[in-house]
Amino acid sequence: MGLLCVGVIKAMMLPAVLLTTLSAGLLASCSSDNKNSEFANQGELLYSIGDSSLSVASVVAQIPPGLDPQDSIALFRAIADDWLFSMLLENEAQLDYGMREKIESQVRQYRRRLLAARYRESLAAGADPAVIPEDSVKAVYNSRRSDYVLQAPMVKGILLQMPANASGLAEVITWMNNPTMANIDRLEKVALPNALSYEYFYDDWQDWRDIAALIPYRFPEGDAYAASLPKLETQHGNSVYLLTITDHLPVGAMMPYEKAAPLIRAEMMRRREGESDRTILNSLRNKALKNGTLKVYSDTEKQHTRR
């Protein structure tokens, strides 16, 4: 049966139309359940490209036990085809010197970035996490106001989606139209158990486009709708959407500090990391100069390293 199994596996390399002639019983005998058993010609090669080759046994070893015969065939072909495709691409890239140089350059760059990131992590492992002082963030916000201008309206308010047949819907609409703290408390106690969705941004500025995207309603572009601080009631399918906008910032207004602060912190962290990288580079350069690992031949570079 071992010799017959090898014959079936070799047949897997034939066009798919020929595979349909294989019997289920014969395929079952070649199941990967038997891949650890002794059978002839395990090392027989399927493909060979340059110094690399793919054997029957190496493919069979990747097929998990318990698959039905047709799935085993499909997986065998997929594994073999994947190996062949990868090797052919690699071989073609080797022949194309320009492509090979580009790939090798990208690999070297990625390796350097990865090593640098790991080294920075190791240096920072025992240190306290960097904290950007709040007053520094506010100073940037106040001194660069033109950099933090809204490109889209921002709003505050409440959005509620209710079943169209919900009991007490009329009361809910009344509370939404007059969102005092008492009415909001009533909404959350009475309406929320039956609500399909609830977005509370009464105290948190949100991009108007994000809110509008949650409602199946055609809003006018820009500030036109949000600026009027409307109260919307619209039905779509079996749902009623209730929107109350309580505050609005137009395009061109100063971005709220709480929205700008994370952007400022991220920018300051990138700058700090750049300065840290330069410090690490100088430290490593000086260390390499002292132990003789680095030799400097350019007069310009010599002047730089003495700084």
Side-chain angles (χ1 to χ4, degrees):
M1 183 58 71
L3 289 171
L4 201 52
C5 282
V6 173
V8 172
I9 292 171
K10 291 175 70 176
M12 294 176 183
M13 306 311 299
L14 298 175
V17 66
L18 297 181
L19 291 177
T20 59
T21 63
L22 299 172
S23 70
L26 182 57
L27 292 172
S29 70
C30 296
S31 166
S32 55
D33 287 323
N34 300 322
K35 67 184 179 184
N36 295 323
S37 64
E38 194 69 30
F39 66 92
N41 298 329
Q42 290 188 59
E44 184 168 347
L45 297 181
L46 294 172
Y47 297 120
S48 179
I49 299 178
D51 296 331
S52 301
S53 60
L54 181 69
S55 68
V56 171
S58 65
V59 178
V60 172
Q62 300 178 59
I63 300 176
L67 295 182
D68 64 55
Q70 294 300 324
D71 287 342
S72 293
I73 287 179
L75 184 54
F76 187 101
R77 291 177 64 90
I79 294 169
D81 286 350
D82 181 66
W83 184 93
L84 179 61
F85 184 55
S86 298
M87 293 303 299
L88 288 173
L89 282 177
E90 182 178 332
N91 187 63
E92 194 66 23
Q94 291 289 341
L95 296 176
D96 185 336
Y97 184 79
M99 182 187 295
R100 184 179 67 192
E101 283 293 296
K102 183 177 180 180
I103 291 173
E104 289 177 353
S105 174
Q106 290 173 341
V107 170
R108 287 194 299 269
Q109 290 176 21
Y110 175 76
R111 183 173 181 272
R112 284 196 296 267
R113 288 196 299 268
L114 186 61
L115 286 172
R118 294 294 178 267
Y119 185 69
R120 283 196 297 267
E121 288 174 4
S122 68
L123 291 178
D128 293 333
V131 176
I132 304 295
E134 191 71 22
D135 57 352
S136 298
V137 177
K138 289 182 178 178
V140 172
Y141 177 75
N142 291 323
S143 64
R144 292 170 46 194
R145 301 180 71 86
S146 61
D147 292 344
Y148 302 102
V149 171
L150 291 179
Q151 303 301 312
M154 299 199 83
V155 294
K156 290 183 178 180
I158 306 171
L159 171 61
L160 182 64
Q161 179 187 357
M162 295 289 292
N165 60 357
S167 61
L169 185 58
E171 276 189 314
V172 171
I173 294 172
T174 299
W175 296 333
M176 283 288 294
N177 287 337
N178 183 28
T180 63
M181 295 312 297
N183 282 343
I184 291 173
D185 187 56
R186 293 186 183 99
L187 278 172
E188 295 181 346
K189 287 181 179 178
V190 177
L192 285 195
N194 298 317
L196 299 175
S197 67
Y198 179 59
E199 300 293 334
Y200 181 85
F201 49 104
Y202 195 90
D203 301 314
D204 181 29
W205 289 107
Q206 296 293 319
D207 189 316
W208 163 240
R209 295 169 299 185
D210 294 338
I211 300 301
L214 299 175
I215 308 171
Y217 185 85
R218 186 180 294 277
F219 294 99
E221 294 292 330
D223 293 331
Y225 190 88
S228 63
L229 300 181
K231 296 173 176 60
L232 172 71
E233 177 187 341
T234 184
Q235 183 169 345
H236 182 78
N238 296 321
S239 294
V240 172
Y241 295 82
L242 304 171
L243 170 68
T244 296
I245 296 177
T246 59
D247 206 351
H248 160 264
L249 288 173
V251 172
M254 184 71 174
M255 184 181 297
Y257 174 75
E258 61 268 27
K259 295 299 180 182
L263 303 178
I264 296 171
R265 285 194 178 89
E267 180 186 349
M268 295 177 76
M269 283 299 299
R270 285 193 297 271
R271 189 181 303 119
R272 178 178 290 184
E273 288 171 0
E275 293 169 355
S276 175
D277 283 353
R278 286 191 290 274
T279 300
I280 292 172
L281 176 60
N282 288 332
S283 174
L284 293 175
R285 179 193 289 119
N286 292 334
K287 179 181 177 181
L289 284 169
K290 287 179 181 178
N291 63 27
T293 302
L294 173 64
K295 293 180 174 58
V296 178
Y297 301 100
S298 165
D299 289 338
T300 302
E301 178 63 12
K302 286 179 181 177
Q303 294 174 5
H304 176 75
T305 56
R306 285 197 294 268
R307 293 177 185 175

